[in-house]
Every structure is written in C-alpha cells, then in structure tokens.
Amino acid sequence: VDLIYMIDKKDVPQLHSVCVGEDFGGNASGHAIVASGINDNMLYFTHARFKKATGSTAQELSQWSVNTFQDIYNDVGYFFDVYADSAEQVLINTIREQTHFNVLNSLKRPIIDRIRALCILVASDRVRFVKGETEELVQALSEATWDSKKLIDTRLDNGSYNNDIIDAAEYSFEYNIDWLVR
C-alpha cells in the first residue's frame, strides 16, 4: 500500500461510524480484529490486531477479543458494533457472554464483492490506514493474490499471507459497502 494511504492517528477526522470486524482462524492461522470508520465517504482503518491460533483456548480467545474491543473503544471513544465471523457461533456466544459490546454475525458477502469494494475505494482515493496501528493489515493486503488454480476470481487462501486480518477488515465495513461504493 502506497504511503499516501497511511496517515497519523491525529489526522483521522471525527468518524461517523466505527465498526469492528473479527475473524477466527484455525490452528494453521490466527484470529484477527480490525476497526474501521467512515467520514464523508472515506474509509479509515484505525486498528488491526492479530493473535496466532496455535494453542489458544476458547476462553483465551474470548478474553483477548474483549480486551481488544475495550482498547479500541478507549482509543476511539466509541464504536457501534462488532461483526464476527458467522461460521463460529460457539466463539461468538462465548464472547457475547463476556462483553457489553454488541457482537453480531458478519454478513459474509461473497469474497469477490468485498475485494471489489475495497478496490473501488482505493482506486477512488477513499481509504486511509492509521500508522502504528494497521501495518499488519497493510502488509497482508499487499501480499494477497488470486488463486491461479481456480477458474473464477478467488483469493488465494493457503497460509502464504495473513488472510484472517483481511477478512476481519472486510467484515468491519461490509455492512456499509452498498452506500460506500455508490
């Protein structure tokens, strides 16, 4: 990601909506939480966190999630909802029991739709990443590639880059895709 997309935290305007996306990875990957906010048709990625899945228990993951939500809240001052990977209902329910934040299921729109939406926002210069908070997300986005073995456009998911953090980022804004890319 070009440096023009990276901004200092102090340069983030007041955000009209801040949402958090969470993806749960398997033992070969990890768990990711990403916060994004919107202001004047701009998408700002404000936080990106990652935790290796190896050896994690549901209790440890839920506590990490709750602590991360609180850290984001303390930093930003508010956020609306957490959109978690809807395939993991046991983990979502465990997290819901431990937090006052509103944890909902992600939409899990088709991946190609999420990719296209982010490409449109980047191409129209409407995405920013906060320095010191989102480098792991920026790295993953720069490494993401298409799966050359598929006949349709499919993002490669073979562990060669941090796909979980990209999924979490997409979950954080996918409820707003329709009006963001209009």
Side-chain angles (χ1 to χ4, degrees):
V1 174
D2 197 323
L3 292 177
I4 64 169
Y5 296 106
M6 300 296 292
I7 62 171
D8 291 323
K9 188 183 295 190
K10 66 178 178 48
D11 294 326
V12 176
Q14 180 67 37
L15 300 172
H16 301 299
S17 97
V18 176
C19 296
V20 173
E22 182 166 19
D23 186 60
F24 308 108
N27 280 333
S29 57
H31 312 296
I33 295 176
V34 176
S36 67
I38 299 168
N39 178 299
D40 295 332
N41 282 336
M42 289 284 292
L43 179 65
Y44 295 86
F45 288 105
T46 62
H47 298 80
R49 302 289 184 268
F50 182 77
K51 175 180 176 40
K52 288 256 184 223
T54 306
S56 294
T57 66
Q59 184 62 31
E60 290 168 339
L61 174 61
S62 63
Q63 190 59 56
W64 174 79
S65 297
V66 170
N67 290 344
T68 303
F69 301 159
Q70 190 62 53
D71 290 345
I72 294 167
Y73 179 85
N74 292 345
D75 195 29
V76 176
Y78 66 95
F79 64 79
F80 293 94
D81 295 310
V82 175
Y83 299 110
D85 183 348
S86 58
E88 300 294 341
Q89 290 301 305
V90 172
L91 289 172
I92 290 172
N93 290 335
T94 303
I95 293 167
R96 283 178 180 148
E97 286 180 349
Q98 296 181 354
T99 187
H100 64 278
F101 295 110
N102 194 27
V103 181
L104 304 168
N105 291 329
S106 64
L107 283 177
K108 288 200 101 156
R109 288 176 179 248
I111 292 172
I112 191 67
D113 292 349
R114 299 176 344 219
I115 292 169
R116 286 181 180 140
L118 191 53
C119 287
I120 288 168
L121 293 171
V122 169
S124 58
D125 194 29
R126 296 174 34 220
V127 176
R128 297 293 181 269
F129 299 85
V130 173
K131 290 179 192 173
E133 297 287 346
T134 60
E135 280 75 8
E136 198 157 2
L137 172 60
V138 169
Q139 172 94 18
L141 288 167
S142 70
E143 294 173 349
T145 59
W146 297 109
D147 189 338
S148 62
K149 294 181 178 143
K150 303 280 180 154
L151 294 177
I152 59 171
D153 287 340
T154 304
R155 184 166 51 212
L156 184 64
D157 187 6
N158 68 354
S160 61
Y161 65 94
N162 189 340
N163 193 61
D164 302 306
I165 206 161
I166 295 174
D167 285 341
E170 292 167 349
Y171 297 157
S172 77
F173 74 87
E174 73 178 339
Y175 274 85
N176 295 309
I177 283 176
D178 292 336
W179 73 268
L180 262 174
V181 298
R182 60 188 160 136

